[in-house]
């Protein structure tokens, strides 16, 4: 087998693997802006990793087969053209990975910054505080201000509007927990006395599993909840109903 033929075989194998991965990517439902960005980055990195893996493994297999009858190892010969080629190729790959990762990690839907607080209050953004405690969740719907009195409070079950930016402040009442909604691509540690921030925009209505992703004691496995994404008009009607009901503390709708 010539070197040219081995290279073609490796490239053909990479193309087949890429085609095999594509249906899985298409089948992955992007339920939120956050989820879409994270999956997009994963797939872009996978498209780079698969050809490299196939190429390296192809060279390794060819080398083992080609020199299988060699009794003694031969000294490596210098090849500056090859060294320059793989140095440039490595630099291009690292540059692509760095740029792609930065574009996603710098997005406020993936890495929210504390400095966004004032800007969020001026935008059409639903503001919700998530408070963890042994062994459950409390959600404060503060609406227009992080510092305002929460007009609606629920436990265990969180309700958010679809197709609208939602910003979360995640904290804890006692010790370390972790707010995790895999279906929406949301995850943040909850520290007592501190606030971590998340931001997302859920595009699909439905109910998503919420749980604590940090072992927090004997009741950790029961620290479950749900996140229900509903149409905006239904969400606004629900908020109005909760407010008109007077004391909404402890409701779990």
């Amino acid at each position: 087998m010539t070197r040219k033929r081995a290279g073609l075989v490796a490239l053909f194998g990479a193309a087949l693997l890429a085609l095999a991965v594509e249906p899985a990517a298409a089948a992955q439902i992007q339920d939120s802006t956050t989820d879409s960005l994270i999956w997009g980055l994963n797939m872009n990195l996978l498209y780079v990793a698969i050809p490299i893996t196939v190429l390296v493994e192809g060279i390794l297999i060819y080398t083992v087969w080609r020199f299988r009858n060699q009794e003694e190892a031969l000294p490596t010969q210098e090849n500056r053209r090859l060294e320059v080629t793989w140095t440039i190729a490595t630099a291009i790959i690292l540059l692509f990975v760095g740029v792609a990762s930065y574009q996603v990690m710098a997005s406020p839907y993936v890495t929210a910054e504390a400095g966004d607080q004032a800007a969020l209050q001026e935008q059409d953004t639903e503001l919700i505080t998530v408070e963890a405690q042994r062994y459950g969740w409390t959600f404060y719907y503060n609406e227009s201000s992080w510092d305002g009195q929460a007009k609606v409070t629920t436990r265990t079950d969180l309700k958010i509007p679809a197709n609208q930016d939602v910003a979360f402040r995640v904290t804890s009442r006692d010790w370390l927990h972790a707010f995790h909604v895999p279906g929406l691509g949301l995850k943040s540690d909850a520290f007592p006395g501190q606030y971590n921030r998340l931001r997302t925009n859920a595009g699909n209505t439905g109910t998503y599993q919420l749980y604590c992703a940090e072992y927090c004691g004997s009741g950790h496995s029961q620290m479950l909840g749900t996140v229900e994404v509903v149409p905006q008009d239904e969400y606004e009607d629900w908020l109005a109903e909760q407010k008109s009901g007077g004391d909404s503390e402890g409701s779990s709708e």
Side-chain angles (χ1 to χ4, degrees):
M1 181 182 291
T2 64
R3 294 182 180 181
K4 184 177 181 180
R5 183 176 298 177
L8 291 175
V9 170
L11 291 176
F12 180 71
L16 288 179
L17 285 178
L19 291 175
V21 170
E22 182 64 29
Q28 175 63 35
I29 300 176
Q30 310 301 336
D31 290 318
S32 71
T33 303
T34 308
D35 191 43
S36 177
L37 287 169
I38 293 173
W39 269 99
L41 175 60
N42 286 342
M43 296 310 302
N44 286 335
L45 297 182
L46 192 59
Y47 287 141
V48 174
I50 287 178
I52 294 175
T53 302
V54 172
L55 179 61
V56 172
E57 292 300 321
I59 294 175
L60 177 61
I61 294 173
Y62 168 75
T63 303
V64 172
W65 177 83
R66 174 68 175 78
F67 300 101
R68 65 188 184 282
N69 297 323
Q70 193 76 35
E71 296 181 358
E72 297 182 1
L74 298 177
T76 302
Q77 297 181 355
E78 182 179 0
N79 189 328
R80 293 188 178 181
R81 181 177 298 178
L82 179 60
E83 293 177 0
V84 171
T85 299
W86 75 44
T87 300
I88 295 176
T90 302
I92 293 174
I93 293 171
L94 293 178
L95 181 63
F96 171 80
V97 171
V99 172
S101 300
Y102 176 78
Q103 289 177 340
V104 173
M105 297 305 296
S107 170
Y109 293 104
V110 177
T111 306
E113 299 179 359
D116 292 337
Q117 177 176 339
L120 284 173
Q121 295 185 17
E122 298 176 357
Q123 300 174 3
D124 184 19
T125 303
E126 189 68 22
L127 308 179
I128 299 174
T129 296
V130 178
E131 185 180 69
Q133 68 277 332
R134 296 176 291 174
Y135 293 100
W137 305 93
T138 303
F139 308 103
Y140 301 91
Y141 301 77
N142 295 327
E143 294 189 294
S144 61
S145 173
W146 290 123
D147 301 322
Q149 181 68 29
K151 298 180 180 179
V152 176
T153 303
T154 62
R155 290 193 176 96
T156 306
D157 300 322
L158 171 65
K159 194 185 294 283
I160 63 175
N163 300 307
Q164 179 179 350
D165 280 6
V166 180
F168 301 96
R169 285 198 316 174
V170 182
T171 187
S172 172
R173 186 181 298 176
D174 38 50
W175 55 44
L176 179 62
H177 301 277
F179 175 76
H180 190 25
V181 188
L184 296 176
L186 300 176
K187 186 176 184 181
S188 176
D189 287 333
F191 297 100
Q194 301 181 32
Y195 291 95
N196 285 329
R197 290 169 172 79
L198 293 172
R199 183 176 179 177
T200 194
N201 189 313
N204 297 321
T205 59
T207 302
Y208 302 86
Q209 180 67 59
L210 157 66
Y211 64 90
C212 178
E214 191 76 36
Y215 181 71
C216 54
S218 59
H220 169 71
S221 60
Q222 284 79 46
M223 196 168 173
L224 303 173
T226 61
V227 177
E228 184 181 4
V229 182
V230 298
Q232 292 189 36
D233 54 350
E234 181 179 337
Y235 178 76
E236 293 173 0
D237 292 342
W238 175 80
L239 278 180
E241 179 182 350
Q242 296 299 305
K243 294 173 186 176
S244 63
D247 182 13
S248 59
E249 180 72 27
S251 68
S252 58
E253 296 188 38

